[in-house]
Structures are given as structure tokens and as C-alpha cells.
Amino acid sequence: MKLLIALCFYLLQPALWVGVIRTYLVHRNRVKRERQLFSSAIYEDFYEGRHFVRSGLILGVVVSIVFGGFLSVSVQWLFLYELLMLVGLLIFPGQLFPVTTAGLVSVVTILVPHVPQLKPFVTWFNNIGLTGLKVNPLNFLIILSLIIVGSCVFLHVNGGKFASPSLARNQRNNRVAVYKFNEMSVIPFLMLVPGNWFVSRFPFMPMFQINGHSYAVLIIPILLGLKLTVKRSVPRSFFIRLSKSLMVLSGLGIVLVGIGYVAAKTILPGIFILILGYYLSIWLAKHEDNRQKFEYSEVMDGIRVIGIQPETPAAKMNLQVGDVILTVNEIPVANEDEFYRALSTNSTYCRFKVRDRNDQLKITETAIFKNSPHEIGVKTYTHPID
């Protein structure tokens, strides 16, 4: 019963449902964009929602089992974190700031008692009844490190698996495909909140005593996610590399936690180091992407593959986004109309000569849906170069 009550606290959080709505809107806008570009969507299924639920539940359960009985946050940290997370999702729906949100709230919570300029926060907390026992600030550094670990896992599992293109223009004014990753999750994290604030206002909340102090057991929503555009790299490879960089940063977080346990004065600098390290990792990944010579641009000697629809003949071929189809059934093709005319020369089978992103040639072939060349599943630029 107590666990159910703690779960209800998570399910009733506005930030959770704003996240659900945002995820649905991202899905709807993506499908609308794909239909505008290709007349039919590449990915009709709501994979953003699947990732939201699956990643949230799995990561939440694992983290709660391992750390749920050890980590505690103050009621002030909890209030500020959920408020800032909600404001961020509402005011900046096109961006996600999971590390910034947790880091900034942790910094403010640590500094409020010690910085005179932040005394209004103390007065505000007191006026709205947000008083309670202080917690070890080391917990904030641990939580921030766990959010980076969670972001690493989230990107490693989901990043770039569904390459949905948007169109832009390069410096030569040619159309280029770019690949946007815009996914999030809100994980349920079991934590302890010390003090009598919940006891006095919600006596039905699950509580227990440690050394004469009351602790509320709450399942707290924690934000994970990222919005990032891949311009030149293979999307899946890009996010695998980024997740590895974040894993290195997570290792640094463990080291900083160990140092903070011995020297409490290093906790606040450790939080800043992790925040800066997170954005440095993202900047380096974007910088490396921009340095690539390759572009998903239109070409004159074939047609560029910028999307591959799942469960179609194209998905069974050795094709990748970025490949250039040079010939179809031994017929040279330079635009979409020529591509489908060449496909129509054989109603049940097709053979492609392809140049990959490394300028290597390959031959790939497959059976196609009988008399349905338009259902092969290859998505290209819909008009020839102007």
C-alpha cells in the first residue's frame, strides 16, 4: 500500500504529463514532416512513446533498487527541481536540459544558506512552509552523476536508431538531409525526503524513522533526454560515440563523489565540473560531426537515399542512409522519376548498383512487392536538382 502511495506521487506530477504530451507532439510533428517530404511516413509507429515508457521504467527500477534506500533530497531541492523541470518543458518545448536542471537546483540549494544575496529564497521557502532537515550535499553530486549515467544509457539504446530526415540548405544552396534526435523520458526514482513537511500535510504518505528523524518515501520524476541534430555523421554511430563520452564523464563523476566524501568543499566544484563536462562532450561531438567532409546532399549522378522504411524490400537490402543509387536494373538513374521507371522494368525483382558514403561501390538486390515499385521503401529527394 505504501509503495502504491509513493507511486501515486510520481503519477500525479505535472512534469510527467507535460513530458508525455511533449513526446506525443514530437511524434505527431515528425510523422507530419515525413508525410510532407515523402507522401508517406517512414516510421508510422509511436517509437518516441515506446522509448519514453521503456527507458523510464527500466532505468527507474534499476536506479531505485540500487540507490533507493540510500539517497535523500531536501524538500527545497525537490520543490525547486520539479518547478524548474516543469518550467523548462513548458517554456522551452524545443529543448531539454536534464543535467542543467539538476545541477542548477543543486547549486542553489547548497548556496542558499551561505550567500546573503540568496536570503530571499530562504524567506520564500519559509513563507510557503518548505522547511525540513538539511541533507548531505554529496547526495546532489551523486544524483547528478546518475542523471549523466542515465543519459548515457538512454542515448546508447535509442539514439539514431530511427533516422528520420529533415531538409536544410548547405552553403551551395543545395538541399541536404539532417537527422534530428528529440526524445526524452521521465524516470521514477525512489528517494527519501527528510523532515516533517510531508508528515504534517500528507499523513497518508509512507514514512519511517531514522535516528529520531522522519523520512518520506517518494518516487520522484527525473528528466532524461536530448535534442540534437546530426548533419554529416551516421546518426547511430554519432550517438554511440557520444554515449561513450558521457560514460567517461560518468566515471569522472564517481571519482568526484569519492573526493567529495572525503572533502566536502569539493562537492560544489564537482557539480560545476560535471555540468561543464556534459556540455563539452556534446560540443565536441557536434564539432566532430561538422568536420566530416560528407553531406547528405543531392547528387547529379544518382539518387541519394535519405530514408529507409522498415518492413519493406529496401529494409532487407544492404542499404544505408547516405548511399547513392547509381543504377537500377542496369539502368542509370538521376532522379526519383527515373528511379521508379527503372524499377518498373521488372515487376518482382530489383538490382541496385550503389556508392556508399566512403565512395565504395556495392551491388544489392531483392524481390519487391509484385507490381508495386512505389512500395520498395527507399526515401529520396522527391524532385531533381534545380
Side-chain angles (χ1 to χ4, degrees):
M1 183 61 183
K2 290 185 177 181
L3 183 60
L4 181 61
I5 294 174
L7 180 61
C8 287
F9 180 84
Y10 166 77
L11 294 176
L12 293 175
Q13 295 306 303
L16 169 65
W17 296 106
V18 171
V20 171
I21 294 171
R22 179 192 181 279
T23 300
Y24 171 73
L25 292 177
V26 167
H27 159 74
R28 191 183 69 174
N29 291 338
R30 174 185 59 77
V31 171
K32 180 180 178 181
R33 182 185 72 244
E34 290 176 357
R35 288 173 177 167
Q36 289 175 340
L37 291 177
F38 309 114
S39 298
S40 63
I42 300 176
Y43 305 105
E44 289 280 2
D45 68 318
F46 187 17
Y47 66 78
E48 296 93 342
R50 185 169 66 250
H51 295 168
F52 183 101
V53 174
R54 183 181 62 193
S55 299
L57 289 179
I58 294 176
L59 289 172
V61 169
V62 171
V63 173
S64 296
I65 290 175
V66 177
F67 296 96
F70 304 97
L71 288 178
S72 61
V73 294
S74 64
V75 67
Q76 295 92 343
W77 186 96
L78 175 60
F79 180 82
L80 284 177
Y81 177 76
E82 296 199 21
L83 178 63
L84 191 59
M85 178 170 58
L86 180 61
V87 169
L89 290 174
L90 288 174
I91 297 181
F92 304 102
Q95 298 295 329
L96 290 167
F97 306 103
V99 173
T100 305
T101 300
L104 181 60
V105 170
S106 298
V107 169
V108 171
T109 305
I110 293 172
L111 291 180
V112 159
H114 308 289
V115 179
Q117 290 79 5
L118 296 178
K119 290 297 183 182
F121 277 98
V122 178
T123 304
W124 181 51
F125 286 146
N126 292 333
N127 289 339
I128 62 178
L130 290 178
T131 57
L133 295 176
K134 295 181 180 179
V135 302
N136 187 342
L138 185 64
N139 288 340
F140 304 145
L141 183 58
I142 296 173
I143 291 170
L144 185 60
S145 299
L146 290 175
I147 290 175
I148 294 175
V149 172
S151 299
C152 168
V153 174
F154 187 80
L155 290 178
H156 187 85
V157 173
N158 303 316
K161 289 184 69 175
F162 296 86
S164 175
S166 299
L167 294 188
R169 293 275 180 177
N170 61 14
Q171 294 180 346
R172 298 183 298 277
N173 203 37
N174 291 333
R175 289 184 300 177
V176 295
V178 296
Y179 297 88
K180 296 180 179 181
F181 180 78
N182 186 13
E183 294 190 37
M184 63 169 288
S185 184
V186 178
I187 72 171
F189 192 175
L190 180 67
M191 283 192 276
L192 309 177
V193 180
N196 296 318
W197 192 85
F198 282 98
V199 176
S200 60
R201 290 162 178 80
F202 307 102
F204 55 85
M205 293 297 295
M207 308 289 298
F208 65 92
Q209 298 283 327
I210 299 180
N211 297 327
H213 299 298
S214 298
Y215 287 81
V217 181
L218 301 177
I219 297 180
I220 297 171
I222 298 294
L223 176 67
L224 295 179
L226 182 66
K227 180 179 179 181
L228 196 61
T229 299
V230 181
K231 297 179 179 180
R232 300 170 182 263
S233 304
V234 177
R236 183 61 178 154
S237 299
F238 174 90
F239 287 105
I240 292 293
R241 290 195 301 271
L242 178 56
S243 68
K244 290 179 179 178
S245 298
L246 293 181
M247 184 57 71
V248 173
L249 183 63
S250 302
L252 175 60
I254 295 173
V255 173
L256 292 173
V257 168
I259 297 174
Y261 181 79
V262 177
K265 291 184 179 180
T266 65
I267 293 175
L268 191 59
I271 291 174
F272 282 112
I273 289 172
L274 288 183
I275 295 174
L276 293 175
Y278 175 78
Y279 285 104
L280 178 61
S281 298
I282 293 176
W283 181 84
L284 289 174
K286 294 175 67 174
H287 178 68
E288 181 64 25
D289 178 48
N290 289 330
R291 289 181 56 204
Q292 302 286 327
K293 296 181 179 180
F294 177 84
E295 280 188 319
Y296 295 96
S297 58
E298 296 176 282
V299 293
M300 300 184 65
D301 59 341
I303 59 170
R304 176 83 70 186
V305 177
I306 58 175
I308 300 173
Q309 196 168 7
E311 299 181 4
T312 60
K316 302 175 183 178
M317 306 171 76
N318 186 27
L319 288 176
Q320 303 291 331
V321 291
D323 286 349
V324 175
I325 300 175
L326 302 174
T327 68
V328 176
N329 297 334
E330 312 299 333
I331 301 172
V333 295
N335 57 59
E336 190 180 50
D337 291 337
E338 293 179 0
F339 174 71
Y340 285 112
R341 280 199 297 270
L343 278 175
S344 299
T345 60
N346 191 323
S347 62
T348 60
Y349 199 78
C350 66
R351 179 183 176 90
F352 294 169
K353 181 180 180 181
V354 177
R355 183 178 69 239
D356 65 18
R357 60 182 291 129
N358 298 313
D359 291 329
Q360 300 297 312
L361 297 178
K362 59 184 179 182
I363 300 296
T364 182
E365 52 193 0
T366 187
I368 62 175
F369 301 136
K370 187 174 181 180
N371 297 320
S372 300
H374 283 76
E375 296 180 11
I376 190 171
V378 172
K379 304 298 183 182
T380 69
Y381 293 98
T382 55
H383 300 287
I385 299 176
D386 297 332

